[in-house]
Amino acid sequence: MRVVRQNDKSRRNGSPEGCRHGTAGRSRIRGGIAALTVAAIASGCAQGGGGGQGGGGGGGHEAVRPTPSRQPLKAPPPVETPDPNAQAPRPKKFRSAQAAHAARVAAARRWRLARVPLTPPPPPAKKPEITTRDGFEVDGHEELGLPPVFTTVPTKQRVVFLTIDDGAEKDPAFLRMMSELQVPYTAFLSDYLIKEDYGYFKRMQRAGVVLNNHTLHHPYLPALSYYRQRHEICGMQEVIEKRYGKRPLLFRPPFGNYNRNSLRAAKSCGIEYVPLWNEEVFVDRWDYREWDRKIRPGDIVLSHFRGRDDWKGTMPDMIRRFLNKVTAEGYAVARLEDYL
């Protein structure tokens, strides 16, 4: 059985090397930039030699060894945002496309963007076929009908998809910014972080964001047995259904690491897709999976719910860096679930 090992950030839970995150008795995240040998993406707390298989699996595994990335980008200076403690409004309905565009222009000015974000095209009438990316398969992937693992959605439209993980930072200014700019995104949540304030993510859901599964406690899944992995994934399904009314169809494994047991467990919990990412955006830089460091149509972009405790800036600062780059390169931000 093959373990697929990538990297991700966790605020308070640790990687197998014992990364510790957060504040007040917890160390800060020490970001380790890592890359897959298929041509990499970086993220914090890089995983070392892999964990065990646990019950339900057998045989050895191949570790994908991370290598350093380079070319960090200079962070934009943080700016004051309007009314940061205001509640995120529900999505507005506009009388015309012109009115919607005017609202985006005004919001882009308020949030100090270099350009107005592009409006995404309508969702495709025929959804693209989603398959597992080469090199990301596990033994018996197709035969067992396991959920596809992918980093890019096959489309010719110049769109990218923003996904944000874990739920550590709960910045009301971020909710307001995204609602005013009308920028879609997808959240992958871990219960041990969101339980501090379930209401924050309820406000996010009311604004049209789909809340998806990132396990209960953000563990390194390949080190766990099948049954413990299933508890982490199915348990988070139950939390989201109880708190937000619907069981997710999307699951992202912590750190991007999984094995066959992870996907078997996810399928048994009702998961249909396992989206990873092709780029990651921080406050001060972008990191890339592909060797040429370019964004492509349909790419999934990863970020995290982080603030000044972990970054040299805020979530609005991160969104500003994200939007300025993708807009300058002619990409709109679309809703991932509309393409699945």
Side-chain angles (χ1 to χ4, degrees), residues 38-116:
V38 295
I41 185 168
S43 199
C45 300
Q47 304 304 305
Q53 310 269 18
H61 64 263
E62 302 173 8
V64 179
R65 296 184 179 274
T67 56
S69 180
R70 294 177 175 83
Q71 302 180 21
L73 304 179
K74 184 179 179 181
V79 299
E80 293 185 2
T81 55
D83 200 8
N85 293 317
Q87 297 279 328
R90 291 177 181 269
K92 293 182 178 179
K93 294 183 179 180
F94 297 95
R95 294 182 179 180
S96 65
Q98 290 84 354
H101 178 71
R104 285 164 69 89
V105 170
R109 186 179 301 114
R110 282 194 299 275
W111 294 99
R112 310 284 184 84
L113 300 184
R115 304 183 185 186
V116 179

Side-chain angles (χ1 to χ4, degrees), residues 8-13 164-170 187-198 201 211-219 232-233 235-237 239-240 244 251-255 304-306:
D8 191 3
K9 286 198 173 195
S10 169
R11 183 185 176 97
R12 296 169 208 171
N13 233 19
I164 309 180
D165 281 9
D166 64 46
E169 182 73 9
K170 302 165 186 68
F188 290 89
L189 305 178
S190 291
D191 187 53
Y192 84 107
L193 293 172
I194 70 169
K195 67 182 180 182
E196 298 172 349
D197 187 356
Y198 287 123
F201 300 95
L211 308 180
N212 289 295
N213 191 323
H214 201 44
T215 70
L216 289 171
H217 302 101
H218 205 278
E232 283 287 336
I233 300 169
M236 193 61 200
Q237 293 287 87
V239 168
I240 294 178
Y244 306 110
F251 164 66
R252 175 172 283 163
F255 313 104
H304 290 81
F305 289 95
R306 293 285 182 266

Side-chain angles (χ1 to χ4, degrees), residues 50-324:
Q53 310 269 18
H61 64 263
E62 302 173 8
V64 179
R65 296 184 179 274
T67 56
S69 180
R70 294 177 175 83
Q71 302 180 21
L73 304 179
K74 184 179 179 181
V79 299
E80 293 185 2
T81 55
D83 200 8
N85 293 317
Q87 297 279 328
R90 291 177 181 269
K92 293 182 178 179
K93 294 183 179 180
F94 297 95
R95 294 182 179 180
S96 65
Q98 290 84 354
H101 178 71
R104 285 164 69 89
V105 170
R109 186 179 301 114
R110 282 194 299 275
W111 294 99
R112 310 284 184 84
L113 300 184
R115 304 183 185 186
V116 179
L118 299 174
T119 302
K126 182 179 180 181
K127 308 300 182 186
E129 181 182 1
I130 305 296
T131 58
T132 295
R133 176 171 173 158
D134 288 347
F136 289 64
E137 309 91 343
V138 297
D139 294 343
H141 206 132
E142 291 188 6
E143 294 83 349
L144 295 173
L146 300 179
V149 182
F150 54 103
T151 64
T152 299
V153 172
T155 179
K156 295 181 180 179
Q157 296 177 333
R158 289 186 69 81
V159 296
V160 295
F161 307 99
L162 176 62
T163 62
I164 309 180
D165 281 9
D166 64 46
E169 182 73 9
K170 302 165 186 68
D171 185 351
F174 165 76
L175 294 184
R176 186 168 183 83
M177 180 183 193
M178 300 303 274
S179 291
E180 290 182 359
L181 291 170
Q182 305 163 50
V183 172
Y185 60 101
T186 294
F188 290 89
L189 305 178
S190 291
D191 187 53
Y192 84 107
L193 293 172
I194 70 169
K195 67 182 180 182
E196 298 172 349
D197 187 356
Y198 287 123
Y200 178 85
F201 300 95
K202 187 66 175 179
R203 295 192 293 276
M204 185 180 294
Q205 184 186 45
R206 286 200 299 265
V209 177
V210 178
L211 308 180
N212 289 295
N213 191 323
H214 201 44
T215 70
L216 289 171
H217 302 101
H218 205 278
Y220 177 70
L221 289 176
L224 305 182
S225 70
Y226 169 80
Y227 295 103
R228 290 180 65 192
Q229 292 194 53
R230 192 173 187 277
H231 170 71
E232 283 287 336
I233 300 169
C234 288
M236 193 61 200
Q237 293 287 87
E238 293 166 5
V239 168
I240 294 178
E241 182 178 33
K242 177 182 177 180
R243 296 288 177 175
Y244 306 110
K246 188 174 182 180
R247 293 172 74 86
L249 300 179
L250 277 59
F251 164 66
R252 175 172 283 163
F255 313 104
N257 297 150
Y258 60 93
N259 59 12
R260 182 172 63 176
N261 283 342
S262 314
L263 301 185
R264 287 176 55 221
K267 179 182 177 181
S268 76
C269 301
I271 295 298
E272 296 184 6
Y273 300 97
V274 180
L276 297 184
W277 61 90
N278 230 25
E279 294 86 27
E280 181 171 5
V281 61
F282 301 85
V283 164
D284 60 345
R285 70 184 188 276
W286 281 71
D287 290 324
Y288 302 83
R289 188 183 299 279
E290 309 299 346
W291 66 271
D292 58 3
R293 301 175 62 84
K294 290 183 179 179
I295 298 174
R296 292 170 170 79
D299 274 0
I300 300 170
V301 180
L302 165 68
S303 193
H304 290 81
F305 289 95
R306 293 285 182 266
R308 291 191 184 278
D309 288 345
D310 304 304
W311 284 346
K312 296 179 180 179
T314 64
M315 289 201 70
D317 294 332
M318 177 275 291
I319 293 299
R320 189 175 299 108
R321 174 170 286 279
F322 167 73
L323 289 175
N324 283 344

